Amino acid sequence: MIGLSGILFFVAFGVYAVSALLYIARITLRRSSAKNFTLADKLGDWGFWLCTAGVVAQAAGIVFRWVGSGVVPMSNMYEYMSFLGWSVMLFFVLISYWYKLPGLGAFVAPVGVIMIAYASVFPTEVKPLVPVLQSFWLPLHVSTAALGEGAFAVSFGAALMYLLRIRKDGALSAFEEKMLEFIGFSATVLVGFVVVALGSKWTGYQAILTNSGNGAQSLKYTLPPLVGPVGSVAGEGSLFGMDLPLFIAPGWMNGANAGKQFNTLIWAILVGAVIYFILRILVGPLRELGSKAVMGMNAKLLDEVSYRGIAVGFPLFTLGGLVFAMIWAQKAWGAYWSWDPKETWALISWLFYSGYLHMRIVRGWEGRPAAWVSAAGFPLILFTLVGVNLLISGLHSYAAG
Amino acid sequence: MDEQVVTEETTAPEPEKPSKDFLDRTWDFFASVPVAVVLLFIVAAASVAGTLVPQEGMYSDWRTPSEFYPFRYGAFWGNLLWKTGMTRMYTSWWFMGLLFMVGASLIICSLERFIPLWKAVQRPNIAPPSSFVKHLKNRFEYKPVAGAEALAPLAAALKSAHYTVVQKDGRIYADKGRWGRWGPYILHIGLIFILVGAMVRVFPGAYMDQFIWVQDGEIAKVPGANWFVRNDKFTLETYENGQPKAYKTQAVIIEADGTESKEHTISMNLPLQHKWIELYQSSYKNEVGTAVVSLTDRATKQQIGTFTLDLHQPETAYKVGAYTVKINEYFPDFGLEGGKPVSRSSQVNNPGAVLEVIGPDGKAYKNWYFVAYPEMEFDPTTPVTLGTEEVTERYTTGLKVKKDLGIPVIWFGLIVVSLSVCVTFYLPHRRYWALVEDGRVFVGGWTNRNQTSFGDEMNRLANRIDPKNNPLQTVVEGEER
């Protein structure tokens, strides 16, 4: 069963990747000539059906993993990230069905692909649950929160598309143009991060470095150590015969794994920058590329999709991220709220999105300001999900493995 | 306050437009949605700060807060953070003040809008001016079939779509999903319940957070209660790979009069609840419990007998056959300080004792005995040697004792929030107005959520009544051709 689940997961990944390519091909065809519209529409339809099939296959994979192992498949980073990827794809399929907007696929489907690729970086074996996680609140809390986050991701995609769409009308200031390009660059850094993580997993690179700072006496790096922890010596790692580390992490970074995480960040930025500059040379600024992709799309509809994502995601996130979380915390820790970093960041995201909804519903905020707020909301969610685990520890730290 | 109102009004320069007094201005301030959003934003920003500065009791360092923060951030910043309460932010007066302002904003915003909304929803204007209906964003018109009642097909169509239809003086008013309009207000009430529930703890006796250690087989008084808890057995289960699988305490509640009123196995996620107090499995420790001590004749190497020494509360003397073993001194955690034997703690870490063995002949011999090192003798000439046959382990369970009378209020608030947040976003309020003019029926519609699917519904409705004038629209095209 677990083997079958792995196969289904892989199939879903392949199918998503193909549909992402179909969606991108569709947009490229449409831009090339009006004669190609029929074929382009066909590609869009195939993309949609493939995505739907992928969502069904992955759902079956999740169920099989659960049944086969008897352990809720939402207890480690592999399971969680792939579930999040699934929920992004699910909301994409639903929103494509509600609104005929296949153009969204060229933006959202690659995000799902990247998330699932990132999930596969983590160890995939089923691990038994530690006592605190043995509760039916685990699947309830995690799945509902992840579904809400998936809807927020779709909203983020639509908001970006909206901004790319209206910038051709000269609606954006020079600063906003820079921000859009920066978002594009950040996306390539995220891709770089996934590439680096996959590369490290496939090559199996390892280096042991001395650490005289906080934490263990030696740190195992799975990436070539450009930056070593305090106390490490050049030559402890190497890459193509070059002695590493080149630098030592600055002293103010005093987390136990700070040097290692800083090293990963530098690698992600390096690889991301390489991807970015290749793209820049080949196709010009990313925002121009994006604008070309969304050319001719209905801006009003994009704005509505962006709102809809939040309107659907907010109740789910409220239930999963706060209500279920509080009930479970009371049962497990005897405290429904302890200002744990993860809890606090979930509350911060929730407050942020409630601010958005108030401004939108009561004050009639639409269009550009709303799109920027939605665009700012998703990085917040990403930080709550991943950043808090990596940078700030707390009661939620068992999710790291 | 009343006085203030009077003076403000009498001294106002323009009596027809009385200037607002402090209370009115405060009210208006909290009634404003942008102010509410700014407040939410400030709370969010402050919370961010609270996750970046390690909070008191959360950092892993042996220093006290007054030493730790200057050490971590330098004298100036460290003291500043500590003095302003940034280091215990979520309980600081200013964070509480912010939350209080959010609460005020929640209540006042809701009150301010509740009554006008109540009127608009529950007593709608059934016959608004025809220009209103004709200028609604969602609208259509149809030509009634000659001779038939003009509004009848619309009324029938709306009824079959589960609308509440009011027909009066040649007008139609229909709506559904009224609850959707109340959603946000009910949601706010739920949030107020949660804030109130969190404040309940300020009342004396309403809140307690304690911790007790209970050894296997022992009874402990539950703090803040007049009853006791007995730990029959603590079990630690592990998976094959050694990872912990379950921590369980078989607990029995004993009332003040000695009756056993409840039995429950406490484990993670399954606390024991009794009379508003909950006991949570929170920790455990593993200590030696008893030692089986043997007496052996030094000359013949013949074992004389054994006795079981309770290492937590040893008795003063044990009988072994014709021998008596008296415990003269006992050190559960033996150590030497200034050349003198002491017990470093009350924990049974390295039990040692001065024993006096009295033989059948009445002669007494004193000797040291260490449970972990029985071969260490101070007097190797006694006729009897002591040995450790077996040491049993004893678990001590760590239970968190929690009382919070605010919990039911919080739970109620959470239920209200959960239901109303779904109602708010998934139950749109949809309204239709219709009137007959110049032999045509004009229909206008309005909804508070999800315009696209409402437009879709209206289009299908119009098509059903009058397909000729209202062709089915293909769904909104997202992209130009």
Side-chain angles (χ1 to χ4, degrees):
Chain A
M1 280 266 222
I2 297 172
L4 180 61
S5 152
I7 294 168
L8 282 170
F9 173 83
F10 194 73
V11 166
F13 174 74
V15 162
Y16 293 151
V18 171
S19 78
L21 289 177
L22 284 177
Y23 277 122
I24 293 168
R26 172 184 169 280
I27 277 188
T28 322
L29 266 181
R30 282 176 72 98
R31 297 296 163 264
S32 61
S33 153
K35 279 183 296 183
N36 296 331
F37 273 17
T38 333
L39 178 59
D41 281 350
K42 213 167 250 168
L43 292 185
D45 285 347
W46 287 349
F48 175 75
W49 289 116
L50 276 180
C51 273
T52 313
V55 166
V56 172
Q58 204 187 342
I62 293 169
V63 171
F64 283 151
R65 190 177 168 92
W66 194 339
V67 174
S69 68
V71 177
V72 181
M74 282 159 212
S75 54
N76 60 33
M77 267 314 239
Y78 161 72
E79 292 166 339
Y80 182 74
M81 283 310 290
S82 50
F83 189 84
L84 191 64
W86 179 76
S87 76
V88 170
M89 295 311 283
L90 174 73
F91 278 102
F92 164 67
V93 164
L94 287 178
I95 288 206
S96 304
Y97 181 76
W98 287 332
Y99 304 93
K100 294 293 166 228
L101 197 60
L104 193 62
F107 286 77
V108 177
V111 173
V113 172
I114 290 171
M115 278 188 169
I116 289 174
Y118 181 50
S120 67
V121 168
F122 297 97
T124 59
E125 75 262 29
V126 179
K127 275 210 179 137
L129 293 179
V130 293
V132 69
L133 293 181
Q134 295 164 8
S135 167
F136 67 92
W137 289 105
L138 171 68
L140 262 183
H141 158 64
V142 177
S143 65
T144 323
L147 284 174
E149 286 149 0
F152 288 152
V154 173
S155 161
F156 168 76
L160 267 191
M161 289 168 73
Y162 175 84
L163 291 169
L164 290 168
R165 173 70 185 77
I166 62 166
R167 68 176 280 278
K168 272 293 155 204
D169 310 335
L172 300 188
S173 70
F175 175 71
E176 287 173 298
E177 292 279 344
K178 282 203 187 90
M179 281 307 292
L180 264 186
E181 194 62 25
F182 177 72
I183 293 176
F185 176 72
S186 310
T188 59
V189 170
L190 279 183
V191 172
F193 177 63
V194 173
V195 168
V196 161
L198 282 173
S200 136
K201 184 175 177 166
W202 285 331
T203 57
Y205 183 92
Q206 274 192 12
I208 309 287
L209 279 92
T210 335
N211 179 26
S212 61
N214 287 338
Q217 301 214 319
S218 68
L219 286 177
K220 192 171 88 181
Y221 274 50
T222 51
L223 285 173
L226 297 177
V227 178
V230 180
S232 56
V233 189
E236 287 183 324
S238 71
L239 179 67
F240 305 130
M242 184 169 61
D243 277 352
L244 295 175
L246 299 175
F247 312 97
I248 302 296
W252 51 265
M253 292 188 170
N254 55 5
N257 277 326
K260 197 169 151 186
Q261 277 158 12
F262 188 47
N263 187 56
T264 310
L265 182 69
I266 290 182
W267 270 107
I269 292 178
L270 276 179
V271 175
V274 169
I275 299 172
Y276 177 80
F277 281 106
I278 292 173
L279 282 174
R280 179 107 197 194
I281 290 160
L282 289 181
V283 294
L286 287 185
R287 60 182 192 282
E288 288 292 340
L289 179 69
S291 284
K292 256 184 238 155
V294 298
M295 199 168 59
M297 285 192 196
N298 182 341
K300 193 118 191 66
L301 197 63
L302 287 172
D303 180 57
E304 166 140 355
V305 170
S306 163
Y307 162 68
R308 201 73 204 281
I310 294 178
V312 169
F314 189 77
L316 288 168
F317 187 71
T318 307
L319 282 175
L322 295 169
V323 175
F324 295 162
M326 279 167 81
I327 298 173
W328 190 16
Q330 177 68 30
K331 286 206 139 259
W333 300 323
Y336 54 85
W337 196 262
S338 19
W339 294 103
D340 168 69
K342 194 85 162 186
E343 272 173 4
T344 311
W345 276 95
L347 177 69
I348 292 163
S349 316
W350 187 81
L351 288 173
F352 187 88
Y353 280 111
S354 27
Y356 170 93
L357 289 166
H358 279 89
M359 291 313 275
R360 174 122 193 165
I361 294 169
V362 186
R363 306 288 296 179
W365 256 26
E366 278 183 16
R368 195 165 56 106
W372 276 114
V373 174
S374 167
F378 192 61
L380 212 59
I381 288 282
L382 272 187
F383 185 80
T384 308
L385 287 180
V386 187
V388 173
N389 287 40
L390 293 182
L391 302 177
I392 317 170
S393 61
L395 293 168
H396 257 84
S397 37
Y398 38 71
Chain B
M1 289 289 188
D2 280 346
E3 238 174 296
Q4 223 182 351
V5 174
V6 173
T7 42
E8 279 286 336
E9 276 183 354
T10 45
T11 55
E14 289 166 68
E16 68 274 11
K17 252 202 232 167
S19 82
K20 296 187 161 182
D21 70 356
F22 177 69
L23 204 63
D24 282 336
R25 280 198 303 254
T26 313
W27 179 277
D28 287 352
F29 177 78
F30 284 116
S32 144
V33 170
V35 166
V37 172
V38 168
L39 280 174
L40 293 185
F41 185 78
I42 296 173
V43 171
S47 308
V48 173
T51 63
L52 298 182
V53 177
Q55 299 288 296
E56 283 174 30
M58 305 280 249
Y59 59 76
S60 49
D61 197 287
W62 50 268
R63 292 176 180 83
T64 62
S66 60
E67 296 162 354
F68 172 74
Y69 291 101
F71 163 77
R72 175 81 166 75
Y73 294 100
F76 176 73
W77 290 110
N79 279 317
L80 189 73
L81 287 175
W82 192 56
K83 295 255 162 67
T84 51
M86 283 297 291
T87 60
R88 46 188 178 282
M89 210 197 73
Y90 305 114
T91 51
S92 69
W93 60 270
W94 57 270
F95 194 75
M96 288 294 139
L98 270 176
L99 288 184
F100 182 78
M101 282 168 83
V102 168
S105 167
L106 272 174
I107 295 171
I108 293 174
C109 273
S110 303
L111 286 179
E112 179 91 354
R113 288 165 184 78
F114 187 81
I115 291 160
L117 183 70
W118 178 268
K119 284 185 184 150
V121 174
Q122 301 297 359
R123 304 193 207 302
N125 187 356
I126 292 169
S130 67
S131 62
F132 169 79
V133 178
K134 287 180 190 167
H135 286 100
L136 281 166
K137 210 173 76 188
N138 289 300
R139 59 175 187 266
F140 69 93
E141 35 191 280
Y142 68 90
K143 232 180 150 61
V145 184
E149 223 269 277
L151 292 172
L154 178 66
L158 285 170
K159 269 181 193 147
S160 73
H162 308 292
Y163 276 82
T164 313
V165 182
V166 183
Q167 226 172 325
K168 207 172 148 192
D169 307 331
R171 296 276 197 138
I172 277 185
Y173 173 77
D175 73 341
K176 74 171 174 186
R178 283 184 187 182
W179 274 100
R181 295 294 283 285
W182 301 118
Y185 300 92
I186 303 170
L187 176 57
H188 287 170
I189 292 168
L191 292 174
I192 291 164
F193 269 100
I194 293 174
L195 288 177
V196 169
M199 283 191 308
V200 165
R201 64 177 62 183
V202 303
F203 294 104
Y207 182 84
M208 177 182 56
D209 188 358
Q210 300 272 350
F211 188 89
I212 47 172
W213 288 109
V214 196
Q215 227 170 59
D216 275 0
E218 292 209 333
I219 298 175
K221 170 149 187 337
V222 173
N226 59 349
W227 44 273
F228 303 81
V229 62
R230 189 176 76 219
N231 165 17
D232 278 347
K233 189 173 169 50
F234 173 86
T235 5
L236 165 67
E237 288 171 23
T238 49
Y239 292 108
E240 278 171 17
N241 63 3
Q243 191 194 325
K245 184 181 179 184
Y247 309 107
K248 288 178 183 164
T249 301
Q250 282 170 287
V252 176
I253 299 293
I254 300 168
E255 299 295 338
D257 61 6
T259 51
E260 297 185 0
S261 58
K262 199 181 258 181
E263 257 183 70
H264 180 85
T265 303
I266 305 174
S267 64
M268 293 300 284
N269 289 306
L270 278 175
L272 186 161
Q273 196 182 8
H274 187 62
K275 293 184 181 166
W276 293 99
I277 291 180
E278 286 188 308
L279 301 177
Y280 292 87
Q281 185 64 58
S282 165
S283 186
Y284 76 95
K285 55 188 181 189
N286 184 7
E287 294 171 316
V288 282
T290 59
V292 178
V293 186
S294 63
L295 273 63
T296 310
D297 190 296
R298 196 184 292 275
T300 63
K301 302 250 179 342
Q302 285 274 312
Q303 198 181 73
I304 299 159
T306 60
F307 69 94
T308 305
L309 175 65
D310 186 328
L311 296 170
H312 291 267
Q313 283 167 320
E315 289 171 31
T316 49
Y318 293 87
K319 268 270 190 226
V320 185
Y323 290 78
T324 306
V325 181
K326 276 169 79 180
I327 316 290
N328 283 0
E329 284 181 85
Y330 178 63
F331 306 90
D333 190 3
F334 177 84
L336 283 172
E337 253 169 46
K340 281 192 168 175
V342 290
S343 189
R344 281 175 295 210
S345 70
S346 56
Q347 311 269 318
V348 185
N349 288 335
N350 179 23
V354 179
L355 305 184
E356 197 176 332
V357 181
I358 303 161
D361 52 357
K363 276 195 179 164
Y365 300 94
K366 265 195 204 172
N367 209 349
W368 276 94
Y369 165 65
F370 296 96
V371 174
Y373 316 99
E375 67 285 352
M376 269 177 59
E377 290 182 292
F378 282 72
D379 183 356
T381 62
T382 53
V384 171
T385 59
L386 297 159
T388 306
E389 296 292 305
E390 192 192 343
V391 177
T392 61
E393 291 192 319
R394 187 186 286 182
Y395 281 107
T396 304
T397 184
L399 299 176
K400 179 177 187 157
V401 183
K402 188 84 191 241
K403 178 184 186 182
D404 188 349
L405 297 187
I407 296 280
V409 185
I410 300 260
W411 274 189
F412 180 73
L414 287 179
I415 292 168
V416 171
V417 165
S418 306
L419 294 177
S420 59
V421 77
C422 294
V423 164
T424 303
F425 289 98
Y426 302 149
L427 183 69
H429 183 213
R430 292 176 169 181
R431 324 168 84 177
Y432 280 91
W433 290 269
L435 54 93
V436 192
E437 224 174 73
D438 309 327
R440 301 178 67 80
V441 179
F442 293 88
V443 186
W446 178 93
T447 182
N448 64 334
R449 297 273 184 279
N450 198 358
Q451 305 295 336
T452 316
S453 97
F454 181 62
D456 214 36
E457 177 194 86
M458 186 179 250
N459 177 241
R460 272 182 283 121
L461 196 84
N463 179 264
R464 219 171 100 190
I465 297 170
D466 185 359
K468 215 158 61 187
N469 289 318
N470 298 292
L472 265 188
Q473 282 159 15
T474 46
V475 247
V476 194
E477 190 65 30
E479 289 173 65
E480 286 165 13
R481 308 241 66 182

